[in-house]
Amino acid sequence: MLKLDSVCTRYGNIYALKGVSIHVNEGEIVTIIGANGAGKSTTLNTISGIVRSVSGSVFFNGADITSMPTEKIVESGLIQVPEGREIFPLLTVYENLILGAYLRKDKAAVAKDVEYVTGLFPRLSERFKQLGGTLSGGEQQMLAIARALMSKPKLLLMDEPSLGLSPIYVQNIFSVIKEINKEGTAVLLVEQNANMALSVASRGYVMETGKIIMEDKASNLLDNESVRAAYLGI
Amino acid sequence: METIVQQLLNGLTVGGIYALIALGYTMVYGIIKLINFAHGDIFMVGAFVGLLAVNLIADSFIVAVLAAVVFCGFLGIFVEKVAYRPLRENSPKVVITSALGLMLIILLAVFARGDVAGIVSSGTFWIGAVLILAVMFWLIRGRVSGRNKNGNSRINALISAIGMSIVISNMVMLLNGPQREVYPRLLPDYSFSAGPFHISALQLFIIAVSFVLMYLLYYIVHKTKTGLAMRAVSHNLNAARLMGINPDRIISFTFLIGSCLAAVAGVLVGTYYNIADPNVGMMYGLKAFVAAVLGGIGSIPGAVVGGIVLGVAEVMGVAFISPSFRDAIAFGILIFILIVKPTGLFGTKMKEKV
């Protein structure tokens, strides 16, 4: 459903992506692992149209979205949970969730989905009226994911959901990712926590300095000697 | 004591009007971090459009307000599209649109006056136009040479704003002439006495209208989805886009609301002082700007409180010190607040992301 064809992106004169080609199929969890600065976040931001590619193309469900404005890309069901959460700190938890459903007109269904996402993250329902900025890091990450789900995504792009979280929250978040996927949403997951990411994903890409250097089933990558040495710390 | 209460009422009237204008400054600043110096001129245009409507259609306050609100609403959106959006988007296509927009204004002026010489001889008009175009060209040059990708865009926008302000005020002077016009009393003005106080119905009306509009604004910003989107864009533009919000549409909407409030203020001031003056935009604009800074720029309740405090302070100063201190008080407050509490009464410290 998502296809990147030799995408190049640059910041000034430095190329962050040097011809990245990846794809995500319907119903899959796909992960991109790699070190800091490999270009993982840039890949997601290029897909969402926050940064623009200089060459190559991005297709989503057959449509060319390479130069579409971000809000149109979002409208087509491609939703990003950005790195560092990027929740709205001065809006309440509830308002954050409602913003996730900004493009939806079906009020009754939106109210139902608020119940659904707070069912996934019960912590959030206790904090409905609290400002987003007063939540803990883990709760903010939950809010960011819940907010993205409010838009009824077809494909969810997740940028480092485990960043800075305690192990319990990481477990919690990853089990929710699996749950979301079971409900039929495809996920493209960017992670530094390669072990965790590969254990939930069906396929994985390994990225290094702007290039995809390896692509395989997640289970094979977990067994791969060089991946184990470089990214799993074993 | 009686004088104080009497002056308090006068101060509230003036303050309510400052607050209405200050809201436009503060909302636009909240969303795109720009001081829209053309805002005061939109207020002045509101007064003149109201006057025109009264002369053409009917001698009625409602007619004047409606005409002013509709015209200034469009003018606000137009100003944003022509003078600020090109600087944000930084692409040659929009710069050309903007240049064409300005040519259109000039052509309109030529047709309206049927007098080319009059336009050409208006030096300040050209200064304004040239200022805006200079910024645009500088931008294109910067693009071509690869420098100045986004840097200085806030300064560019500020200069563009000053240019726009000059263009609008000169536009009105070209069409109307530089002289003041007598404004009809659109509202019955009678005063009644309550004990030792003389209360003017017009003043009460102005205060009431100001507060109703402020409540309306509060309602839009805090209770509607568009208002929620406005707050989201002002907090984090990129995250707002990831929610599917089109920031350009929200920014246009912000200019629309701010300009409509200024238009109402324009008609109110015209009715209150019985005068419409094409030169007054800059001064009222600056005063309202002081009010916005006093309250904490970017803060909506701040603009309301700032406007009222400024209005009362000014009137008290006039009554108890000297009428010639009127402007000095406003700008004295500005200097004082910038030294003592630069974030203003309700402002919060900006967290700069590293």
Side-chain angles (χ1 to χ4, degrees):
Chain A
M1 68 196 305
L2 177 75
K3 193 167 177 303
L4 273 72
D5 194 10
S6 40
V7 170
C8 294
T9 303
R10 66 177 187 196
Y11 296 114
N13 290 324
I14 297 157
Y15 277 82
L17 300 185
K18 303 165 190 166
V20 170
S21 300
I22 58 172
H23 66 276
V24 178
N25 297 326
E26 209 79 44
E28 262 189 322
I29 300 184
V30 176
T31 182
I32 305 175
I33 58 174
N36 248 341
K40 305 185 302 287
S41 297
T42 306
T43 306
L44 294 193
N45 283 336
T46 306
I47 297 171
S48 285
I50 293 172
V51 291
R52 293 289 166 193
S53 56
V54 284
S55 64
S57 39
V58 185
F59 293 93
F60 182 60
N61 282 337
D64 186 350
I65 59 164
T66 319
S67 51
M68 230 184 227
T70 300
E71 57 272 13
K72 290 273 174 246
I73 294 175
V74 170
E75 212 177 324
S76 68
L78 192 68
I79 312 297
Q80 186 183 154
V81 182
E83 183 178 6
R85 277 83 83 167
E86 304 274 344
I87 56 147
F88 299 101
L90 298 176
L91 302 182
T92 64
V93 167
Y94 179 73
E95 286 173 327
N96 268 281
L97 290 177
I98 291 299
L99 272 171
Y102 181 72
L103 292 170
R104 295 173 56 184
K105 304 264 180 280
D106 43 346
K107 270 193 172 167
V110 169
K112 242 192 184 141
D113 280 349
V114 170
E115 277 173 34
Y116 166 68
V117 297
T118 47
L120 287 175
F121 299 111
R123 294 291 288 249
L124 293 180
S125 53
E126 299 160 19
R127 309 209 184 286
F128 252 19
K129 291 221 178 316
Q130 222 168 300
L131 293 187
T134 63
L135 301 183
S136 76
E139 290 165 344
Q140 288 191 13
Q141 186 63 59
M142 291 172 176
L143 177 57
I145 296 171
R147 185 181 66 175
L149 290 176
M150 287 300 299
S151 63
K152 288 225 166 281
K154 296 190 179 105
L155 171 60
L156 203 56
L157 308 173
M158 301 184 100
D159 199 348
E160 305 269 8
S162 76
L163 191 76
L165 301 189
S166 69
I168 295 173
Y169 275 124
V170 174
Q171 288 288 351
N172 188 333
I173 299 257
F174 273 88
S175 68
V176 169
I177 293 174
K178 272 195 271 186
E179 169 111 20
I180 296 164
N181 180 248
K182 246 187 230 143
E183 305 271 322
T185 308
V187 178
L188 177 58
L189 175 67
V190 155
E191 258 300 340
Q192 286 201 49
N193 187 341
N195 212 345
M196 207 66 197
L198 288 172
S199 68
V200 296
S202 54
R203 283 188 307 120
Y205 294 90
V206 181
M207 203 166 186
E208 219 166 66
T209 57
K211 282 186 200 136
I212 300 290
I213 57 162
M214 217 184 280
E215 174 197 354
D216 210 334
K217 276 189 175 163
S219 53
N220 292 349
L221 287 175
L222 269 174
D223 293 335
N224 185 298
E225 277 307 315
S226 58
V227 172
R228 285 168 74 94
Y231 301 109
L232 302 178
I234 307 169
Chain B
M1 183 61 208
E2 277 141 46
T3 343
I4 291 182
V5 176
Q6 195 69 62
Q7 293 303 333
L8 205 62
L9 191 66
N10 296 342
L12 270 175
T13 314
V14 182
I17 285 164
Y18 284 156
L20 282 184
I21 311 173
L23 283 167
Y25 275 106
T26 230
M27 282 198 299
V28 165
Y29 186 86
I31 254 178
I32 52 173
K33 305 288 173 282
L34 161 78
I35 310 290
N36 175 20
F37 274 115
H39 191 60
D41 298 282
I42 288 179
F43 151 84
M44 177 271 294
V45 169
F48 273 92
V49 171
L51 183 61
L52 189 69
V54 165
N55 289 340
L56 290 179
I57 307 168
D59 205 3
S60 134
F61 179 72
I62 305 283
V63 168
V65 164
L66 278 181
V69 161
V70 169
F71 186 86
C72 289
F74 280 113
L75 182 62
I77 293 173
F78 177 79
V79 164
E80 194 273 324
K81 278 220 160 80
V82 167
Y84 308 137
R85 186 169 299 182
L87 297 166
R88 272 205 316 281
E89 299 195 353
N90 204 355
S91 100
K93 202 177 77 191
V94 269
V95 173
I96 291 164
T97 320
S98 140
L100 286 178
L102 281 173
M103 302 250 283
L104 185 76
I105 306 185
I106 296 167
L107 277 177
L108 272 177
V110 172
F111 277 121
R113 289 263 297 195
D115 165 18
V116 184
I119 312 280
V120 179
S121 64
S122 156
T124 34
F125 177 68
W126 287 108
I127 292 174
V130 167
L131 257 176
I132 298 181
L133 288 176
V135 172
M136 306 286 171
F137 280 122
W138 185 48
L139 207 82
I140 297 175
R141 209 197 52 161
R143 261 187 82 81
V144 172
S145 64
R147 288 185 290 116
N148 180 35
K149 268 262 150 58
N150 283 314
N152 282 332
S153 64
R154 276 171 74 176
I155 296 286
N156 292 349
L158 199 67
I159 296 172
S160 199
I162 295 169
M164 205 66 216
S165 157
I166 298 172
V167 167
I168 294 176
S169 65
N170 281 273
M171 203 56 216
V172 172
M173 277 192 258
L174 278 170
L175 296 174
N176 175 73
Q179 75 281 2
R180 300 161 153 206
E181 298 291 336
V182 174
Y183 220 89
R185 268 247 183 272
L186 296 173
L187 294 161
D189 189 20
Y190 50 90
S191 49
F192 48 90
S193 305
F197 309 119
H198 293 284
I199 297 168
S200 136
L202 183 58
Q203 285 188 327
L204 286 184
F205 181 76
I206 289 177
I207 295 168
V209 167
S210 304
F211 279 93
V212 167
L213 288 177
M214 286 171 210
Y215 178 76
L216 197 67
L217 179 71
Y218 170 84
Y219 183 84
I220 290 173
V221 171
H222 287 274
K223 304 281 175 207
T224 67
K225 208 164 162 185
T226 311
L228 186 57
M230 281 169 78
R231 286 183 286 152
V233 170
S234 89
H235 296 160
N236 188 338
L237 192 125
N238 263 336
R241 299 184 69 186
L242 285 174
M243 304 296 106
I245 296 169
N246 179 348
D248 282 337
R249 203 178 292 166
I250 298 298
I251 291 167
S252 285
F253 182 74
T254 309
F255 273 84
L256 171 78
I257 301 269
S259 303
C260 290
L261 292 178
V264 177
V267 176
L268 288 176
V269 165
T271 319
Y272 188 50
Y273 292 111
N274 289 101
I275 253 173
D277 181 348
N279 293 303
V280 90
M282 189 62 133
M283 190 46 92
Y284 268 89
L286 286 176
K287 295 269 183 71
F289 170 65
V290 172
V293 172
L294 172 62
I297 191 127
S299 152
I300 287 178
V304 173
V305 173
I308 288 167
V309 169
L310 181 68
V312 171
E314 238 188 54
V315 168
M316 293 293 174
V318 168
F320 294 105
I321 307 172
S322 151
S324 47
F325 271 94
R326 185 170 193 145
D327 297 341
I329 288 164
F331 299 116
I333 288 178
L334 178 65
I335 294 169
F336 180 76
I337 199 86
L338 286 178
I339 292 172
V340 177
K341 196 169 187 301
T343 51
L345 298 173
F346 290 74
T348 44
K349 250 209 176 109
M350 283 286 173
K351 271 179 269 167
E352 288 285 340
K353 269 192 193 159
V354 186

